[in-house]
Amino acid sequence: MPRHLAIYPGSFDPITVGHQDIVRRSLAFVDRLIIAVAHVRTQRKDALFTISERVELIRQHYADEPRVAAMEFEGLLVDFAKQQDARLIIRGLRAVSDFEYEFQMALMNHELWPDVETVFLPPAKEYSYLSASLVRQVSMLGGDVSGFVSSDIFAALSAKLAGRRA
Ligand code: PNS
């Protein structure tokens, strides 16, 4: 039943409580969700976790939720979606500033594969300003990000930063 399988793509470096909120709400209307970690941003200078570490953290976080899988993908998102036979892409839309980029991506993806649809979910209002890049930046500069990531991710983040400082 491909209609009920969705892909939630992104960089997830790291997955935040905002992402987790989108996952939880998506599960209200999809049967299965693949959280797809893109290779596209691997070369970012401010990357913190490797792609495999991000996938592993997500897998561990959702170990008790059989409807959620974590995978990595390289290349076009629509090609990955086709491989998985998923015709639904989920994206969080936080603010008007996200809109243009998200709109372009949704239209391009639809152009590349007309069977695919993008569903945008607004954030819970308490997460509207939250982004993984801000979490990375604040944590690297010694700020407290414990309110922005779940405790398992916070532990991994602390270990990663301690390793970097050592
Ligand atoms: O969390 P991000 O970094 O905003 O996610 C962006 C992502 C990974 C969803 C986007 O860059 C993407 O889909 N990359 C895969 C390559 C691709 O298909 N590009 C064309 C999209 S229009």
Side-chain angles (χ1 to χ4, degrees):
M1 284 188 284
R3 240 188 14 209
H4 299 140
L5 166 65
I7 294 190
Y8 180 27
S11 305
F12 302 107
D13 185 26
I15 189 166
T16 68
V17 289
H19 295 128
Q20 289 162 357
D21 177 57
I22 298 284
V23 170
R24 188 183 56 75
R25 286 158 53 211
S26 299
L27 290 175
F29 61 88
V30 303
D31 294 324
R32 284 181 48 229
L33 187 68
I34 299 174
I35 303 179
V37 181
H39 268 265
V40 69
R41 298 282 179 90
T42 326
Q43 300 310 321
R44 278 178 67 119
K45 274 191 271 155
D46 65 340
L48 196 55
F49 291 100
T50 65
I51 303 283
S52 4
E53 285 172 336
R54 294 176 214 173
V55 169
E56 199 43 44
L57 284 172
I58 297 170
R59 280 196 185 137
Q60 282 170 15
H61 184 82
Y62 290 105
D64 295 331
E65 177 46 90
R67 295 197 297 150
V68 175
M71 296 173 84
E72 58 187 87
F73 75 100
E74 250 180 302
L76 284 178
L77 174 60
V78 287
D79 289 341
F80 177 72
K82 275 183 201 166
Q83 274 166 28
Q84 301 301 321
D85 204 12
R87 284 147 211 255
L88 204 57
I89 294 170
I90 310 266
R91 290 286 288 172
L93 197 58
R94 284 166 308 198
V96 176
S97 52
D98 283 347
F99 184 77
E100 199 170 327
Y101 169 62
E102 294 296 337
F103 192 67
Q104 278 180 332
M105 274 207 306
L107 290 183
M108 179 56 86
N109 285 331
H110 196 260
E111 186 66 28
L112 293 170
W113 188 29
D115 287 354
V116 83
E117 292 294 349
T118 302
V119 170
F120 294 118
L121 290 182
K125 61 182 181 313
E126 61 269 35
Y127 304 138
S128 58
Y129 61 94
L130 185 55
S131 72
S133 57
L134 274 184
V135 167
R136 283 199 303 280
Q137 198 180 106
V138 171
S139 63
M140 281 174 180
L141 295 172
D144 178 12
V145 294
S146 57
F148 310 134
V149 290
S150 51
S151 54
D152 50 339
I153 307 296
F154 184 70
L157 201 52
S158 307
K160 173 65 86 177
L161 292 173
R164 283 195 163 195
R165 281 187 210 108

